[in-house]
Amino acid sequence: MSFAFDSLLKIDLLGVRMHVGLIFILLILGIEFVAHPTSIGRMKAFIRTNWSILPFFGYLFLQFILNKAFPGAIMLLLYYFLALISFYYFFKKHSSISKQSVIMFQWIMVTTGLFQFLLFKIFGFQLSFYEVEHYMVDASFATRMRGFFVEPNWYSIVFSFNTLLLAMILKRKILEYKVLILLSFVCFYFNASYTSIAIVVLVLLIQAPQNIRYISKTKLITTFSLVLIIALVFAGRVYDKRKSSNQIVDASTAVNYGSRFFPVVRTYDFMTRQSSVKQFFGFGLGSWPYVGIEENRLGYIGVHVTNKVEPGKRDSAEIQVFMLEFGFLSFIFLFFDYFYNYMKYRKHNLFYAIACVFLASCFFIYPIFKFMMYIVPFYLMRSIVTERNEIIDKT
């Protein structure tokens, strides 16, 4: 439950922003290992069912060994390692996590989201877990719902994954929680993260030809009507935002719209002019603040906001950072895991298929790197689906 409060429960440990929930995970796993050092059965099961992530982590570790000269490389490797530990923990413990826990997690997300949003809209008070400038009234961070998260995007990611997890485990019984469904829709609306909705709709359209024959006409009409209503409501909200933004066009608005596109173009153009070795393997873990920002001014953060270079600094999205640090070869290892899982489970579990596409998409639009260790609902979804499939294969 603690992960739903995000920044309220984060502390700084030697430069690493770590959640209290993650600290407890490390303590629990440490105690269990000391008490039962020979009990490695779950570790073997974890590797067997999630082998598709190993090529990327192997490539990452090799990158660290060969390119460890950049300051912050150890810290970056630690973030990846913590994400893997978090995933392993929930793989190991998912059978003891009840449906009510997932429902309660959703309620906490809804409650904290509405609390923060109404606190700002009614009283003008802004919850600050970061620099004050980060929450300027004119910025979207202030006008969008984000709960106790630093950014509305992080709130949207966790909330989206938990909504998918909720739908997956409750199935038809989800209609019994009408108030929770309604409030969840309200939170999505005020969070204004259209990417999440777009990805869900896109995957549903892709899956429709395969699943349509299993759906009754009544359910099909109901689902189509619901999707149409949601689409119209969100389209109206997008139109209102675009209309208001056209009336007030300034430099910050232009920067905001270009922050996702131009860094990728600049980085790709820069990489194509490098040697074949650099193109395939990149400049090394932790090189982005120095090669990407300080030396070549490729990123959104380095170009438009500040010249300050900090070890481990990321950009407006993760994809350009991966491109420069790990080279084009890294995409094969990184997206193989998500593509493999999507292709394997898309016919058996639509919600997990959507989750795989959603997480892969996040690399193109969010700086998700330092947030990977906190995506608890996705780790739970993956653990439930993959282990269930392994049991079916054995029988």
Side-chain angles (χ1 to χ4, degrees):
M1 300 301 169
S2 66
F3 285 100
F5 293 95
D6 192 54
S7 293
L8 186 67
L9 300 176
K10 274 186 182 177
I11 58 177
D12 195 295
L13 291 177
L14 302 175
V16 178
R17 294 269 300 164
M18 195 175 296
H19 200 279
V20 171
L22 186 58
I23 294 173
F24 275 106
I25 284 175
L26 294 172
L27 287 173
I28 292 169
L29 289 177
I31 292 170
E32 289 182 351
F33 178 75
V34 172
H36 307 284
T38 58
S39 180
I40 57 174
R42 294 302 294 166
M43 181 67 75
K44 289 181 179 179
F46 176 75
I47 295 173
R48 184 173 60 251
T49 56
N50 297 284
W51 64 269
S52 55
I53 66 173
L54 298 181
F56 173 73
F57 276 93
Y59 181 74
L60 175 67
F61 190 67
L62 182 64
Q63 279 274 2
F64 173 72
I65 294 174
L66 299 177
N67 300 290
K68 58 183 179 181
F70 290 100
I74 295 178
M75 181 188 70
L76 295 172
L77 187 68
L78 179 61
Y79 273 115
Y80 278 109
F81 184 64
L82 289 173
L84 188 62
I85 288 178
S86 182
F87 180 21
Y88 171 68
Y89 175 83
F90 287 102
F91 176 85
K92 187 177 182 181
K93 301 288 184 181
H94 74 271
S95 60
S96 62
I97 298 175
S98 66
K99 293 180 180 180
Q100 290 303 316
S101 297
V102 180
I103 296 170
M104 183 59 67
F105 191 93
Q106 188 83 350
W107 272 115
I108 294 174
M109 293 289 291
V110 167
T111 305
T112 54
L114 290 173
F115 173 76
Q116 168 269 321
F117 191 71
L118 294 176
L119 199 63
F120 172 71
K121 287 295 183 180
I122 297 176
F123 300 102
F125 180 78
Q126 188 65 264
L127 291 173
S128 300
F129 299 110
Y130 205 60
E131 293 91 346
V132 177
E133 293 79 9
H134 199 70
Y135 302 101
M136 292 173 61
V137 176
D138 292 334
S140 63
F141 298 110
T143 57
R144 293 168 57 190
M145 179 183 289
R146 57 181 171 80
F148 290 170
F149 287 69
V150 170
E151 296 186 12
N153 292 327
W154 301 146
Y155 177 88
S156 173
I157 291 171
V158 176
F159 195 54
S160 298
F161 278 132
N162 202 68
T163 303
L164 288 169
L165 173 61
L166 199 64
M168 187 183 82
I169 63 175
L170 292 179
K171 297 178 182 177
R172 295 179 182 178
K173 290 185 179 180
I174 196 171
L175 297 177
E176 298 175 8
Y177 300 89
K178 295 181 178 62
V179 176
L180 182 58
I181 294 172
L182 178 62
L183 290 177
S184 295
F185 176 74
V186 170
C187 289
F188 273 117
Y189 182 79
F190 287 119
N191 174 257
S193 183
Y194 311 116
T195 304
S196 305
I197 302 298
I199 291 171
V200 170
V201 173
L202 178 62
V203 177
L204 284 172
L205 290 174
I206 294 172
Q207 290 295 115
Q210 299 181 37
N211 297 291
I212 196 169
R213 62 179 180 273
Y214 300 113
I215 304 174
S216 65
K217 290 183 179 180
T218 304
K219 288 183 179 179
L220 188 63
I221 294 172
T222 303
T223 303
F224 176 78
S225 301
L226 183 61
V227 170
L228 182 61
I229 292 171
I230 294 173
L232 289 173
V233 171
F234 275 89
R237 186 163 171 79
V238 171
Y239 175 76
D240 290 339
K241 285 189 68 177
R242 290 286 174 86
K243 187 177 180 181
S244 60
S245 65
N246 288 334
Q247 293 172 354
I248 307 173
V249 179
D250 54 19
S252 62
T253 303
V255 167
N256 183 52
Y257 279 110
S259 65
R260 296 287 185 268
F261 177 72
F262 291 112
V264 179
V265 174
R266 283 195 293 265
T267 305
Y268 176 78
D269 179 65
F270 173 76
M271 291 298 291
T272 56
R273 290 184 276 108
Q274 306 305 309
S275 66
S276 298
V277 174
K278 292 298 183 184
Q279 287 184 32
F280 278 98
F281 300 102
F283 286 82
L285 184 63
S287 60
W288 176 259
Y290 306 96
V291 179
I293 296 178
E294 188 176 42
E295 297 177 12
N296 296 284
R297 311 282 286 171
L298 301 175
Y300 161 70
I301 293 175
V303 175
H304 297 289
V305 179
T306 176
N307 296 325
K308 186 179 179 181
V309 175
E310 299 176 6
K313 195 74 174 180
R314 317 310 280 175
D315 205 64
S316 56
E318 208 65 52
I319 203 69
Q320 58 263 28
V321 181
F322 267 68
M323 195 186 304
L324 183 124
E325 291 192 345
F326 304 127
F328 297 127
L329 189 61
S330 65
F331 297 147
I332 297 175
F333 295 117
L334 178 66
F335 294 109
F336 167 75
D337 176 60
Y338 303 119
F339 180 76
Y340 170 78
N341 277 270
Y342 171 77
M343 294 301 294
K344 185 174 182 178
Y345 300 106
R346 62 196 174 100
K347 293 182 180 179
H348 308 292
N349 199 304
L350 178 60
F351 298 109
Y352 179 58
I354 294 173
C356 288
V357 175
F358 181 46
L359 186 55
S361 302
C362 286
F363 283 87
F364 291 90
I365 50 181
Y366 303 127
I368 196 174
F369 166 73
K370 293 183 179 179
F371 198 67
M372 289 292 288
M373 67 187 82
Y374 305 130
I375 309 179
V376 176
F378 176 75
Y379 296 145
L380 279 171
M381 288 186 76
R382 179 162 178 158
S383 300
I384 293 170
V385 173
T386 54
E387 186 156 299
R388 183 184 298 165
N389 189 76
E390 185 184 50
I391 294 172
I392 293 171
D393 289 344
K394 285 182 178 179
T395 55

